[in-house]
Amino acid sequence: MFHDLSYEAELELITALADWIRTRYDAGFGAVGWPESFGGAGLSAEHEAVLARIESEYEVPSPHELMSVTLHLIAPTLRVFDRTPEMRALISPMLRGDVLACQLFSEPGAGSDLASLATRARREGDEWVITGQKVWTSGARFAQWGELLARTDPDVPKHRGITAFMVPLDAAGIEVRPLRQMSGGSSFNEVFLEEVRIPDAYRIGDVGDGWKVALTTLGFERNSSGENTDVGGSVDQVISLARATGALDDQVLRQKLADLLISHRLAEVSSARDAVAGDPTGVLGSMRKLQWTQRLTQMSDFVIDALEGDLAVDCGAPQSFAWTEHVLGAPGYRIAGGSDEIQRNLIAERYLGLPAEPRGDKNTPWRDIPR
């Protein structure tokens, strides 16, 4: 789920993964769903899915969230908001694994309510000067760039006064600090920006359109995290655990396992259906993401009951190793990419057509919102 690696070990993992991405890209398999102008093959999403399934059968470097953010979130966002040659020039190096980028979205006072962010950017000629703090930034210690949201107009409602930028993380005035997680590692970081100057060419989209850019990136994130994935453990591993611990002989645990297998099968059916139906409402990614986090919770509940005390101590029991990492890491994915509560709101309002949740500050200038 979330690793427990030293800085050196995490860097080694990212380096090995980047080398593999580069090898795959140079062989013509790195961006098969992208146009040839970006080094892709111009094929369909189905081709990408088939390639991913074939690759999963081979021993390749372990995944890392920074690479996933770069390839599946930020590079596609830059393609959607194709504004300047400087930003367009980043896309192919990202797809090849030469350039890595993180998300500079969340702040200490702006988590689920991301639009309340307080990092400020003021314009001075052809430059922007940025000051603020970001937090929970995956992979920031190893990234060269960050996609950043900043407030450029405090006198309009919060969603309308945000602008998005790409920021080089080696710029003067930037400090990255790792955050130790309860799972042991330091995947997350906090990033401090003090009078950081960047050219207007690094802006993504129009001034004040940052919320539109954010929704685009978050949409890619929900689709990516909602894919039928074995991150955090596969159902086959859970079944092996059940057999090794004797949990299959327990009526209550056997029912929990059955519920988990049903959820897994429903997710496979949903993924196949969505691939055919498309996503006209933009919320199918939210539905898949919510299904996935629910399965992670079901898996945790089953593992805790099946292993009991062996979960806390690696005693060498068969099939027990590393489940502690799952139990400690799974809750993080209920927050990443928008919390479960946010996903339910999106599904209710945009898919089911239910009344929108009351928002008292919707039309209030950001400057006047109590904080």
Side-chain angles (χ1 to χ4, degrees), residues 2 23 44 64 83 108 221 254 268:
F2 292 104
T23 299
S44 68
H64 190 279
R83 180 177 162 267
E221 181 172 15
R254 191 164 62 243
E268 291 181 329

Side-chain angles (χ1 to χ4, degrees), residues 9-75:
E10 188 174 3
L11 177 60
E12 183 178 353
L13 184 157
I14 293 173
T15 301
L17 181 58
D19 288 343
W20 165 241
I21 296 297
R22 196 170 299 118
T23 299
R24 194 176 62 184
Y25 182 92
D26 291 345
F29 297 100
V32 295
W34 283 69
E36 294 181 7
S37 58
F38 292 104
L43 299 176
S44 68
E46 290 178 294
H47 287 88
E48 289 185 317
V50 170
L51 179 61
R53 186 168 66 247
I54 294 172
E55 184 178 341
S56 69
E57 299 173 359
Y58 291 84
E59 189 72 25
V60 298
S62 299
H64 190 279
E65 54 267 31
L66 178 58
M67 188 64 71
S68 178
V69 167
T70 300
L71 295 177
H72 305 305
L73 278 60
I74 297 182

Side-chain angles (χ1 to χ4, degrees), residues 39 150 201 268 317 343 346:
E268 291 181 329
Q343 309 305 332
L346 292 172

Side-chain angles (χ1 to χ4, degrees), residues 78-90:
L78 293 180
R79 178 184 171 189
V80 170
F81 297 91
D82 185 6
R83 180 177 162 267
T84 66
E86 289 86 349
M87 296 295 91
R88 194 177 310 122
L90 289 176

